[in-house]
Amino acid sequence: MNIPEQYQDLLRDETNAFLYLSTIMKDGTPQVTPVWFNWDGQNILINSAKGRLKDKNMRARPQVALVIADPKNPYRYIQVRGKVVDVVEEGAREHINALNLKYTGSSDYPGPKDEVRVIYRIEAEHIQLNG
């Protein structure tokens, strides 16, 4: 993802910005969820549990849209339209623990230990910047 330097702060862990993820339902309507995320320097990474609505939507219809708003100024944001290019379970428990540390300060995600966690790698196809 080619984000200009002046907006990369929104992608960094210390900013603690939330990502608003829009997936496509089976009937073609949008579904939006605020989610934790991080950035690998190229793609957006999010994490969910296998079987949840956004998991089902992204597996069936990998096109997504998202917004990352500046927590200090909601009129400054990154908007992305892209696609899920990778869905993996390996390392997903460690990833959700890292995201939990980023957002709550605790490295142990409190969700059910028996749920299957999944990492989704999102590749940007179109980027719009505001603010």
Side-chain angles (χ1 to χ4, degrees):
M1 181 180 324
N2 189 14
I3 301 290
E5 180 63 36
Q6 66 268 29
Y7 283 85
Q8 288 184 11
D9 63 301
L10 298 180
L11 302 170
R12 293 191 186 105
D13 285 354
E14 59 271 11
T15 303
N16 264 9
F18 278 80
L19 182 152
Y20 296 87
L21 174 71
S22 178
T23 63
I24 303 167
M25 298 289 289
K26 191 176 190 176
D27 66 1
T29 59
Q31 184 269 337
V32 179
T33 308
V35 297
W36 294 347
F37 79 98
N38 61 2
W39 182 52
D40 67 5
Q42 188 67 26
N43 297 300
I44 296 285
L45 305 174
I46 63 170
N47 191 302
S48 187
K50 189 173 186 177
R52 287 191 180 160
L53 184 57
K54 62 183 160 290
D55 171 66
K56 292 176 184 178
N57 287 347
M58 288 186 289
R59 288 176 190 268
R61 292 161 297 281
Q63 301 80 15
V64 298
L66 59 92
V67 169
I68 302 166
D70 186 335
K72 296 177 185 171
N73 176 5
Y75 299 107
R76 179 175 176 259
Y77 59 85
I78 301 168
Q79 178 179 305
V80 174
R81 288 193 314 265
K83 64 182 174 186
V84 176
V85 294
D86 199 18
V87 178
V88 297
E89 294 176 16
E90 185 177 336
R93 177 63 57 182
E94 293 79 10
H95 184 242
I96 194 62
N97 285 335
L99 291 175
N100 196 67
L101 180 62
K102 171 184 172 177
Y103 287 96
T104 72
S106 170
S107 62
D108 188 26
Y109 179 69
K113 300 297 181 199
D114 61 342
E115 70 184 357
V116 177
R117 299 302 305 188
V118 183
I119 301 171
Y120 310 84
R121 185 175 312 277
I122 299 171
E123 181 179 279
E125 296 177 331
H126 177 78
I127 299 169
Q128 178 185 347
L129 306 170
N130 192 68

